[in-house]
């Protein structure tokens, strides 16, 4: 479970409700089914218009990445690449063919397959970079589903408030309904702004960051394999790979105390 996503939303909502309580209000005044339907339903509809179904589906599926936390395997990947570089330098590139069956990472296995099959470096680089960029663009577009939801929901909230005020104006002959009606109208604005800034936009930011980390990880693998193909010294390769590992340091598994 991710240590910040759900706790962050809970803290934000809790602080808002506590502030509401301190000011003399009560949580019940913010519970308006009509406002919720207008804001959430309107936002969903707008997002459906803005994105193809495939991107919507992937955007929803990616929520799991935001609420789960997977430790970075970059340190292990670096060690594996350095071991492969040592074998290639000692026994030749073809000696790596026997290691293909032991490699579990699909991208590393594919990249190493290019090397073993004798594919030219420029062709291998082009194929790997194209795959990395295509996956990044696909995942980034799916993350933007939530970014767009964060852009639409405040406006839909204002629309809900205006609809509520229209209803209030229709009941001007009954002053007893004015106060409650106006309060209800502005709850839609609270829902729209709150959903955007407490859920949708933060969720989009987290997903885009994780998509970027996944891209950097694959770039590290591609550069490592291509450097092995060039015959780069393992010590030099190690220094080169360290330049790619900085972004993943915070996601590396914590070392257990001895």
């Amino acid at each position: 479970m991710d240590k910040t996503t759900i706790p962050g939303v809970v803290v934000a909502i809790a602080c808002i409700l506590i502030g509401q309580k301190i000011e003399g209000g009560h949580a019940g005044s913010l519970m308006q089914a009509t406002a919720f339907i207008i804001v959430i339903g309107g936002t969903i509809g707008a997002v459906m218009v803005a994105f193809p179904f495939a991107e919507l589906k992937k955007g929803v599926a990616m929520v799991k990445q935001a609420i789960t936390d997977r430790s970075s395997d970059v340190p292990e990947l670096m060690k594996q690449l350095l071991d492969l570089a040592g074998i290639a330098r000692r026994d030749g590139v073809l000696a790596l063919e026997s290691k293909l069956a032991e490699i579990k990472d699909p991208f590393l296995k594919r990249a190493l397959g290019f090397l073993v099959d004798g594919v030219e470096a420029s062709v291998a680089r082009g194929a790997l970079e194209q795959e990395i960029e295509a996956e990044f663009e696909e995942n980034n577009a799916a993350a933007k589903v939530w970014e767009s939801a964060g852009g639409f929901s405040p406006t839909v909230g204002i629309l809900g408030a205006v609809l509520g005020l229209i209803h209030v104006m229709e009941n001007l002959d009954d002053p007893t309904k004015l106060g409650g009606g106006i309060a209800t109208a502005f709850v839609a604005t609270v829902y729209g702004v709150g959903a955007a800034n407490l859920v949708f936009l933060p969720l989009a930011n987290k997903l885009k960051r994780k998509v970027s980390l996944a891209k950097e990880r694959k770039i590290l693998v591609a550069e490592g394999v291509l450097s092995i193909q060039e015959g780069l010294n393992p010590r030099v390769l190690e220094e080169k790979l360290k330049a790619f590992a900085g972004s993943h340091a915070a996601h590396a598994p914590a070392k257990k105390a001895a």
Side-chain angles (χ1 to χ4, degrees):
M1 180 67 69
D2 187 272
K3 296 179 181 179
T4 58
T5 304
I6 293 178
V9 173
V10 171
V11 167
I13 294 176
C15 288
I16 290 171
L17 293 177
I18 290 171
Q20 166 84 343
K21 182 70 174 177
I22 292 174
E23 289 296 316
H26 55 88
S29 63
L30 298 177
M31 304 301 173
Q32 300 291 340
T34 304
F36 182 85
I37 291 171
I38 291 173
V39 173
I40 302 303
T43 300
I44 291 173
V47 172
M48 288 174 67
V49 174
F51 290 89
F53 178 75
E55 291 181 3
L56 282 173
K57 184 178 179 182
K58 189 170 183 63
V60 173
M62 285 179 67
V63 173
K64 184 178 179 182
Q65 294 184 29
I67 62 177
T68 57
D69 196 15
R70 195 178 81 174
S71 296
S72 172
D73 63 347
V74 166
E76 289 78 8
L77 269 177
M78 288 177 60
K79 183 178 184 303
Q80 191 172 24
L81 286 166
L82 291 173
D83 290 343
L84 293 171
I87 294 172
R89 189 171 179 82
R90 184 177 62 251
D91 304 323
V93 170
L94 291 179
L96 298 177
E97 187 172 6
S98 62
K99 297 293 181 180
L100 284 174
E102 302 174 9
I103 297 174
K104 297 180 181 179
D105 183 84
F107 185 73
L108 174 56
K109 193 169 189 175
R110 206 154 40 246
L112 204 61
F114 286 147
L115 192 157
V116 171
D117 291 340
V119 177
E120 290 184 12
S122 60
V123 176
R125 178 178 291 278
L128 294 173
E129 287 180 351
Q130 184 176 9
E131 179 179 343
I132 291 170
E133 197 60 32
E135 182 183 81
F136 173 76
E137 290 297 331
E138 180 183 346
N139 290 335
N140 202 45
K144 286 181 179 179
V145 167
W146 297 101
E147 188 174 50
S148 293
F152 292 136
S153 63
T155 304
V156 178
I158 293 172
L159 176 61
V162 172
L163 292 174
L165 290 175
I166 290 173
H167 181 66
V168 169
M169 298 297 288
E170 291 173 345
N171 291 279
L172 285 177
D173 57 335
D174 187 355
T176 61
K177 295 182 179 180
L178 296 182
I182 293 172
T184 300
F186 282 104
V187 168
T189 304
V190 172
Y191 281 6
V193 175
N197 292 283
L198 303 183
V199 180
F200 297 146
L201 293 177
L203 184 62
N205 287 340
K206 175 154 285 186
L207 287 175
K208 287 167 74 173
R209 178 57 181 152
K210 290 194 173 184
V211 167
S212 294
L213 286 172
K215 179 181 180 179
E216 291 170 13
R217 177 187 179 277
K218 286 197 169 183
I219 290 175
L220 180 145
V221 172
E223 289 295 333
V225 172
L226 292 169
S227 296
I228 293 173
Q229 186 177 26
E230 293 171 6
L232 198 66
N233 186 292
R235 292 184 181 179
V236 178
L237 176 59
E238 182 177 11
E239 295 302 318
K240 183 177 181 179
L241 294 180
K242 283 180 179 178
F244 292 93
S247 300
H248 295 261
H251 299 266
K255 294 181 179 180
K256 295 181 180 180

